Amino acid sequence: MTDASFPPARETPPATPRVGLFATCLVDLFRPSVGFAAVRLLEQAGCRVEVPEAQTCCGQPAYNAGDRADTKAIARQVVAAFESFDYVVVPSGSCGAMLHEHYPALFADEPDFAPRVRALADKTHELVSFLADVMKLETVPGRFAGSVTYHDSCSGLRELGVKAQPRRLLAGIEGLELRELRDAEVCCGFGGTFCVKYPEISDKIVSEKCKAIEESGAELLLAGDLGCLLNMAGKLKRRGSGVRSRHVAEVLAGELDQPAIGEPDPS
Protein backbone atom coordinates (compact mmCIF):
# COMPACT_ATOMS: atom_id res chain seq x y z
CA MET A 1 0.00 0.00 0.00
CA THR A 2 1.25 3.49 -0.85
CA ASP A 3 1.30 6.13 1.87
CA ALA A 4 -0.86 9.12 0.86
CA SER A 5 1.83 11.56 2.04
CA PHE A 6 3.93 11.02 -1.06
CA PRO A 7 3.03 10.50 -4.73
CA PRO A 8 3.76 7.24 -6.54
CA ALA A 9 6.32 7.07 -9.34
CA ARG A 10 4.87 8.27 -12.63
CA GLU A 11 5.21 6.71 -16.05
CA THR A 12 3.84 9.85 -17.74
CA PRO A 13 4.87 13.22 -16.29
CA PRO A 14 2.17 15.69 -15.25
CA ALA A 15 1.79 18.90 -17.24
CA THR A 16 4.09 20.78 -14.87
CA PRO A 17 6.10 18.25 -12.87
CA ARG A 18 7.23 19.33 -9.43
CA VAL A 19 10.90 18.35 -9.30
CA GLY A 20 13.15 18.24 -6.27
CA LEU A 21 16.75 18.87 -7.28
CA PHE A 22 19.22 16.85 -5.23
CA ALA A 23 22.20 19.12 -5.79
CA THR A 24 24.92 16.77 -4.38
CA CYS A 25 27.78 17.72 -2.07
CA LEU A 26 30.37 18.26 -4.80
CA VAL A 27 28.10 20.56 -6.80
CA ASP A 28 27.22 22.54 -3.69
CA LEU A 29 30.80 22.91 -2.47
CA PHE A 30 32.88 22.92 -5.66
CA ARG A 31 30.73 23.76 -8.70
CA PRO A 32 27.41 25.51 -7.95
CA SER A 33 27.17 26.48 -11.63
CA VAL A 34 26.19 22.87 -12.35
CA GLY A 35 23.19 23.27 -10.07
CA PHE A 36 22.12 26.47 -11.79
CA ALA A 37 22.55 24.79 -15.18
CA ALA A 38 20.39 21.89 -14.01
CA VAL A 39 17.63 24.26 -12.87
CA ARG A 40 17.69 26.07 -16.22
CA LEU A 41 17.41 22.82 -18.16
CA LEU A 42 14.63 21.47 -15.98
CA GLU A 43 12.63 24.70 -16.18
CA GLN A 44 13.04 24.79 -19.96
CA ALA A 45 11.65 21.27 -20.04
CA GLY A 46 8.53 22.52 -18.25
CA CYS A 47 9.30 21.53 -14.66
CA ARG A 48 8.73 23.47 -11.46
CA VAL A 49 12.02 23.09 -9.61
CA GLU A 50 12.69 23.29 -5.89
CA VAL A 51 15.93 22.70 -3.99
CA PRO A 52 15.04 21.60 -0.45
CA GLU A 53 17.24 23.31 2.11
CA ALA A 54 17.12 20.24 4.35
CA GLN A 55 19.12 18.11 1.91
CA THR A 56 22.64 17.10 2.79
CA CYS A 57 24.75 14.19 1.51
CA CYS A 58 23.24 11.08 -0.10
CA GLY A 59 25.30 8.97 2.30
CA GLN A 60 27.49 7.35 -0.31
CA PRO A 61 30.86 7.93 1.46
CA ALA A 62 29.58 6.26 4.63
CA TYR A 63 27.96 3.47 2.60
CA ASN A 64 31.16 2.74 0.68
CA ALA A 65 33.07 2.67 3.97
CA GLY A 66 30.71 0.03 5.37
CA ASP A 67 29.03 2.36 7.87
CA ARG A 68 25.42 1.28 7.40
CA ALA A 69 24.09 2.96 10.55
CA ASP A 70 25.13 6.48 9.53
CA THR A 71 24.11 5.80 5.92
CA LYS A 72 20.62 4.92 7.07
CA ALA A 73 20.40 8.06 9.22
CA ILE A 74 21.37 10.21 6.25
CA ALA A 75 19.02 8.34 3.91
CA ARG A 76 16.08 8.92 6.24
CA GLN A 77 16.73 12.67 6.00
CA VAL A 78 16.82 12.46 2.21
CA VAL A 79 13.55 10.54 2.06
CA ALA A 80 11.83 13.05 4.35
CA ALA A 81 13.09 16.02 2.32
CA PHE A 82 12.18 14.68 -1.13
CA GLU A 83 9.27 12.27 -0.92
CA SER A 84 6.60 14.90 -1.67
CA PHE A 85 7.93 15.64 -5.17
CA ASP A 86 6.79 14.12 -8.44
CA TYR A 87 10.41 13.44 -9.32
CA VAL A 88 13.85 13.66 -7.73
CA VAL A 89 16.55 14.68 -10.20
CA VAL A 90 20.29 14.41 -9.56
CA PRO A 91 23.11 15.90 -11.71
CA SER A 92 25.30 12.91 -10.84
CA GLY A 93 25.15 9.26 -11.82
CA SER A 94 26.80 8.09 -8.61
CA CYS A 95 24.52 9.98 -6.22
CA GLY A 96 21.51 9.17 -8.39
CA ALA A 97 22.41 5.49 -8.27
CA MET A 98 22.79 5.68 -4.51
CA LEU A 99 19.17 6.81 -4.16
CA HIS A 100 17.77 4.66 -6.96
CA GLU A 101 19.71 1.41 -6.52
CA HIS A 102 21.20 1.21 -3.05
CA TYR A 103 18.61 2.84 -0.77
CA PRO A 104 16.03 0.05 -1.32
CA ALA A 105 18.56 -2.67 -0.48
CA LEU A 106 19.69 -0.69 2.56
CA PHE A 107 16.19 -0.72 4.05
CA ALA A 108 15.07 -4.17 2.88
CA ASP A 109 15.00 -5.30 6.51
CA GLU A 110 12.61 -2.51 7.59
CA PRO A 111 9.15 -3.34 6.20
CA ASP A 112 7.55 -0.25 7.74
CA PHE A 113 9.96 2.19 6.08
CA ALA A 114 10.93 0.26 2.94
CA PRO A 115 7.85 1.32 0.89
CA ARG A 116 8.73 4.99 1.36
CA VAL A 117 12.29 4.29 0.23
CA ARG A 118 11.09 2.31 -2.79
CA ALA A 119 8.75 5.13 -3.79
CA LEU A 120 11.62 7.63 -3.64
CA ALA A 121 13.93 5.33 -5.59
CA ASP A 122 11.39 4.77 -8.35
CA LYS A 123 11.04 8.48 -9.05
CA THR A 124 14.73 9.35 -8.83
CA HIS A 125 16.56 10.07 -12.09
CA GLU A 126 19.96 11.24 -13.24
CA LEU A 127 19.58 14.72 -14.78
CA VAL A 128 20.33 14.09 -18.46
CA SER A 129 18.44 10.81 -18.64
CA PHE A 130 15.44 12.52 -17.02
CA LEU A 131 15.50 15.29 -19.61
CA ALA A 132 15.87 12.89 -22.52
CA ASP A 133 13.79 9.90 -21.44
CA VAL A 134 11.08 11.30 -19.18
CA MET A 135 10.60 14.89 -20.37
CA LYS A 136 11.48 14.04 -23.99
CA LEU A 137 13.52 17.22 -24.31
CA GLU A 138 14.69 17.72 -27.90
CA THR A 139 16.27 21.16 -27.88
CA VAL A 140 18.55 22.80 -25.33
CA PRO A 141 19.54 26.46 -24.83
CA GLY A 142 23.26 25.74 -25.04
CA ARG A 143 25.51 27.03 -27.82
CA PHE A 144 29.03 25.76 -28.29
CA ALA A 145 31.24 26.04 -31.35
CA GLY A 146 34.04 23.54 -30.87
CA SER A 147 34.97 19.93 -30.26
CA VAL A 148 34.11 17.92 -27.16
CA THR A 149 34.67 14.39 -25.94
CA TYR A 150 32.53 12.54 -23.41
CA HIS A 151 33.49 10.23 -20.51
CA ASP A 152 30.86 7.73 -19.39
CA SER A 153 31.02 7.64 -15.60
CA CYS A 154 30.79 4.18 -14.06
CA SER A 155 27.70 4.55 -11.86
CA GLY A 156 25.61 6.42 -14.41
CA LEU A 157 26.50 3.96 -17.14
CA ARG A 158 26.33 0.65 -15.30
CA GLU A 159 23.70 1.30 -12.65
CA LEU A 160 21.39 3.77 -14.42
CA GLY A 161 21.94 3.09 -18.12
CA VAL A 162 23.10 6.60 -19.00
CA LYS A 163 24.90 6.38 -22.35
CA ALA A 164 22.94 7.56 -25.37
CA GLN A 165 21.02 10.36 -23.62
CA PRO A 166 23.84 12.95 -23.26
CA ARG A 167 25.01 12.26 -26.80
CA ARG A 168 21.48 12.72 -28.11
CA LEU A 169 21.12 16.13 -26.48
CA LEU A 170 24.65 17.24 -27.40
CA ALA A 171 23.89 16.40 -31.04
CA GLY A 172 21.29 19.17 -31.03
CA ILE A 173 23.81 21.91 -30.23
CA GLU A 174 24.76 23.80 -33.36
CA GLY A 175 28.51 23.98 -33.95
CA LEU A 176 29.37 21.25 -31.43
CA GLU A 177 31.50 18.37 -32.70
CA LEU A 178 31.52 15.23 -30.55
CA ARG A 179 34.72 13.22 -30.82
CA GLU A 180 34.20 9.83 -29.23
CA LEU A 181 36.70 8.94 -26.55
CA ARG A 182 38.70 5.73 -26.77
CA ASP A 183 37.64 3.50 -23.88
CA ALA A 184 34.95 6.00 -22.93
CA GLU A 185 33.35 3.40 -20.64
CA VAL A 186 36.54 2.68 -18.68
CA CYS A 187 36.80 4.11 -15.15
CA CYS A 188 38.68 7.37 -14.63
CA GLY A 189 40.21 6.11 -11.38
CA PHE A 190 38.24 8.31 -9.00
CA GLY A 191 35.82 5.86 -7.43
CA GLY A 192 35.13 8.01 -4.37
CA THR A 193 37.30 6.64 -1.57
CA PHE A 194 39.08 4.31 -4.03
CA CYS A 195 41.43 7.10 -5.08
CA VAL A 196 42.34 7.64 -1.41
CA LYS A 197 42.76 3.98 -0.51
CA TYR A 198 44.67 3.05 -3.66
CA PRO A 199 46.34 6.24 -4.91
CA GLU A 200 48.96 4.55 -7.11
CA ILE A 201 46.38 2.44 -8.93
CA SER A 202 44.07 5.43 -9.23
CA ASP A 203 46.85 7.56 -10.69
CA LYS A 204 47.67 4.90 -13.27
CA ILE A 205 44.03 4.67 -14.34
CA VAL A 206 43.53 8.42 -14.65
CA SER A 207 46.82 8.77 -16.52
CA GLU A 208 45.58 6.31 -19.15
CA LYS A 209 42.24 8.09 -19.27
CA CYS A 210 43.88 11.49 -19.81
CA LYS A 211 46.05 10.06 -22.56
CA ALA A 212 42.90 8.92 -24.37
CA ILE A 213 41.29 12.34 -23.82
CA GLU A 214 44.25 14.11 -25.38
CA GLU A 215 44.32 11.63 -28.28
CA SER A 216 40.71 12.52 -29.11
CA GLY A 217 41.84 15.98 -30.19
CA ALA A 218 38.86 17.55 -28.42
CA GLU A 219 39.22 20.90 -26.73
CA LEU A 220 36.67 20.19 -24.00
CA LEU A 221 36.03 17.13 -21.81
CA LEU A 222 32.47 16.52 -20.64
CA ALA A 223 30.95 14.08 -18.16
CA GLY A 224 27.89 13.81 -15.95
CA ASP A 225 29.65 13.26 -12.62
CA LEU A 226 31.57 16.05 -10.95
CA GLY A 227 33.77 13.67 -8.94
CA CYS A 228 35.09 12.10 -12.14
CA LEU A 229 35.55 15.53 -13.70
CA LEU A 230 37.50 16.88 -10.73
CA ASN A 231 39.77 13.84 -10.92
CA MET A 232 40.37 14.07 -14.66
CA ALA A 233 40.62 17.85 -14.75
CA GLY A 234 43.24 17.78 -12.02
CA LYS A 235 45.32 15.20 -13.85
CA LEU A 236 45.01 17.03 -17.16
CA LYS A 237 46.16 20.21 -15.44
CA ARG A 238 49.18 18.47 -13.91
CA ARG A 239 50.08 17.07 -17.33
CA GLY A 240 50.07 20.57 -18.78
CA SER A 241 47.23 19.66 -21.13
CA GLY A 242 45.21 22.27 -22.96
CA VAL A 243 42.00 20.24 -22.67
CA ARG A 244 39.42 21.90 -20.41
CA SER A 245 36.69 20.15 -18.41
CA ARG A 246 33.02 20.90 -17.75
CA HIS A 247 29.92 19.14 -16.52
CA VAL A 248 27.70 18.29 -19.48
CA ALA A 249 24.82 20.26 -17.93
CA GLU A 250 26.83 23.49 -18.24
CA VAL A 251 27.19 23.05 -22.00
CA LEU A 252 23.61 21.88 -22.52
CA ALA A 253 22.30 24.88 -20.58
CA GLY A 254 24.73 27.40 -22.06
CA GLU A 255 26.04 28.20 -18.57
CA LEU A 256 29.62 28.89 -19.63
CA ASP A 257 30.37 32.16 -17.81
CA GLN A 258 32.30 30.36 -15.08
CA PRO A 259 35.86 29.23 -15.89
CA ALA A 260 36.28 25.57 -16.72
CA ILE A 261 36.88 23.19 -13.80
CA GLY A 262 40.22 23.92 -12.15
CA GLU A 263 40.80 27.08 -14.16
CA PRO A 264 41.43 30.42 -12.41
CA ASP A 265 38.82 33.15 -12.48
CA PRO A 266 40.21 35.89 -14.78
CA SER A 267 38.43 38.58 -12.77
Side-chain angles (χ1 to χ4, degrees), residues 40-65:
R40 184 179 185 190
L41 289 165
L42 290 166
E43 289 182 341
Q44 190 210 17
C47 302
R48 180 159 60 94
V49 186
E50 298 176 40
V51 185
E53 292 185 7
Q55 67 178 290
T56 56
C57 177
C58 69
Q60 188 176 173
Y63 182 79
N64 290 342

Side-chain angles (χ1 to χ4, degrees), residues 96-127:
M98 184 67 195
L99 272 63
H100 187 273
E101 294 291 312
H102 299 293
Y103 273 19
L106 189 66
F107 288 96
D109 61 344
E110 297 189 27
D112 291 338
F113 193 67
R116 295 174 63 184
V117 177
R118 181 74 264 174
L120 182 83
D122 287 345
K123 62 185 177 182
T124 296
H125 299 266
E126 184 272 340
L127 171 66

Side-chain angles (χ1 to χ4, degrees), residues 1-10 18 79-80 82-86 112-123:
M1 181 177 293
T2 301
D3 191 309
S5 65
F6 56 91
R10 298 174 179 269
R18 182 169 170 254
V79 172
F82 284 92
E83 64 185 344
S84 66
F85 293 96
D86 295 320
D112 291 338
F113 193 67
R116 295 174 63 184
V117 177
R118 181 74 264 174
L120 182 83
D122 287 345
K123 62 185 177 182

Side-chain angles (χ1 to χ4, degrees), residues 38-216:
V39 170
R40 184 179 185 190
L41 289 165
L42 290 166
E43 289 182 341
Q44 190 210 17
C47 302
R48 180 159 60 94
V49 186
E50 298 176 40
V51 185
E53 292 185 7
Q55 67 178 290
T56 56
C57 177
C58 69
Q60 188 176 173
Y63 182 79
N64 290 342
D67 184 353
R68 296 298 188 263
D70 282 333
T71 306
K72 279 190 169 185
I74 295 168
R76 290 179 190 278
Q77 293 178 329
V78 174
V79 172
F82 284 92
E83 64 185 344
S84 66
F85 293 96
D86 295 320
Y87 297 102
V88 181
V89 176
V90 191
S92 162
S94 61
C95 298
M98 184 67 195
L99 272 63
H100 187 273
E101 294 291 312
H102 299 293
Y103 273 19
L106 189 66
F107 288 96
D109 61 344
E110 297 189 27
D112 291 338
F113 193 67
R116 295 174 63 184
V117 177
R118 181 74 264 174
L120 182 83
D122 287 345
K123 62 185 177 182
T124 296
H125 299 266
E126 184 272 340
L127 171 66
V128 180
S129 63
F130 177 76
L131 295 169
D133 296 336
V134 179
M135 298 307 297
K136 311 298 183 184
L137 190 65
E138 296 182 355
T139 60
V140 294
R143 296 290 182 271
F144 186 82
S147 58
V148 306
T149 193
Y150 194 89
H151 166 72
D152 296 295
S153 301
C154 295
S155 293
L157 175 69
R158 293 173 175 84
E159 296 184 293
L160 300 178
V162 181
K163 173 70 175 182
Q165 301 93 328
R167 290 166 172 81
R168 192 155 74 238
L169 292 180
L170 288 169
I173 297 180
E174 184 177 355
L176 184 146
E177 176 193 359
L178 176 61
R179 299 185 180 183
E180 285 294 349
L181 178 64
R182 172 176 60 82
D183 296 330
E185 298 183 354
V186 173
C187 180
C188 74
F190 175 62
T193 57
F194 175 87
C195 64
V196 178
K197 292 180 179 179
Y198 307 102
E200 293 183 359
I201 299 174
S202 176
D203 184 65
K204 176 63 174 177
I205 295 171
V206 75
S207 294
E208 290 297 321
K209 174 62 68 172
C210 288
K211 182 180 178 181
I213 292 167
E214 292 168 336
E215 288 175 354
S216 75

